[in-house]
Amino acid sequence: AGDPDAPGETMAEVAKAVQQGQSEKAVELLTALLKKDDKQSTAYYVRGREHFRLGRIKESLADFDRHVALSPELEPRQWERGITMYYAKEFARGAKQFELYQTFDNRDVENSVWRFLCMARSEGVAKAREVMLPIKDDPRVPIDDRVRYYGAISAAFASVGVQGCAWGYASGFRLRDGDGWLPGIASAI
């Protein structure tokens, strides 16, 4: 058996708690770990996510900020931090975070939308439209097609008494093969 006080052991317990939807337990484990070693950047990141899931926006943002302070090279990847800034009503900071994330992933449609929302709240809708982040080569199936697909799958499952099929939609079933639809998909939607 491993050392239960080792950071790796604690993070394994945290991962299990997160998988099981036990955010409070994850926060408790991470808080104990950080009391022993407050330089654990990943622990702040994960605790920030779990605080957010628990609706603790202020605590979430503090943890994400500490994560970035300890690992500044990871700041461009912190889209969760941007969303937390939005809910913390720190719209100008959120807009900057999403702009920075664009340097990490310029194909993320949601990033552009979140930045627009932050900009609209901090500088107005006109300015937000004027500086909307461009999205390049988004490889995903267009949202309208995904919505129609989800409706078709839900209707099919409902016909046999199964309430919806969100798992199928959320798990990202492929709908296309290259430029074409997979057999049977186009007719289903």
Side-chain angles (χ1 to χ4, degrees):
D3 176 2
D5 290 332
E9 296 285 329
T10 299
M11 291 306 284
E13 285 184 65
V14 168
K16 184 177 178 183
V18 168
Q19 266 186 328
Q20 294 174 346
Q22 298 173 341
S23 295
E24 194 65 59
K25 180 178 180 181
V27 167
E28 289 171 12
L29 290 166
L30 291 161
T31 299
L33 175 64
L34 289 165
K35 282 182 182 174
K36 294 175 190 169
D37 180 1
D38 68 351
K39 303 291 187 231
Q40 295 281 331
S41 177
T42 300
Y44 283 106
Y45 169 73
V46 176
R47 192 173 73 172
R49 286 186 3 215
E50 297 310 301
H51 273 309
F52 186 87
R53 287 185 177 127
L54 292 166
R56 299 175 187 154
I57 302 305
K58 180 179 173 185
E59 293 87 346
S60 174
L61 185 53
D63 281 347
F64 285 139
D65 285 347
R66 183 72 176 137
H67 168 64
V68 166
L70 290 169
S71 299
E73 73 280 4
L74 298 177
E75 187 174 13
R77 300 178 182 196
Q78 301 307 306
W79 60 268
E80 297 105 329
R81 183 176 181 230
I83 293 173
T84 301
M85 289 172 179
Y86 176 86
Y87 285 104
K89 298 184 180 358
E90 294 195 25
F91 304 117
R93 283 186 70 207
K96 287 179 184 167
Q97 180 64 51
F98 290 118
E99 187 172 348
L100 185 58
Y101 183 77
Q102 189 79 357
T103 66
F104 174 71
D105 182 359
N106 67 358
R107 301 177 342 165
D108 189 332
V109 174
E110 289 83 5
N111 182 63
S112 183
V113 171
W114 278 106
R115 180 168 179 264
F116 175 87
L117 292 171
C118 286
M119 295 278 305
R121 297 292 297 267
S122 65
E123 299 187 40
V125 172
K127 179 67 175 177
R129 282 189 183 136
E130 182 182 314
V131 295
M132 188 94 175
L133 293 173
I135 302 303
K136 300 178 190 230
D137 304 320
D138 183 358
R140 295 175 294 180
V141 174
I143 190 71
D144 291 344
D145 292 344
R146 287 186 276 159
V147 168
R148 283 194 303 276
Y149 169 76
Y150 177 67
I153 295 299
S154 293
F157 275 86
S159 71
V160 293
V162 176
Q163 190 77 352
C165 185
W167 176 84
Y169 175 72
S171 66
F173 286 137
R174 286 184 354 162
L175 303 180
R176 294 179 175 266
D177 185 13
D179 290 332
W181 291 98
L182 290 174
I185 297 295
S187 62
I189 59 174

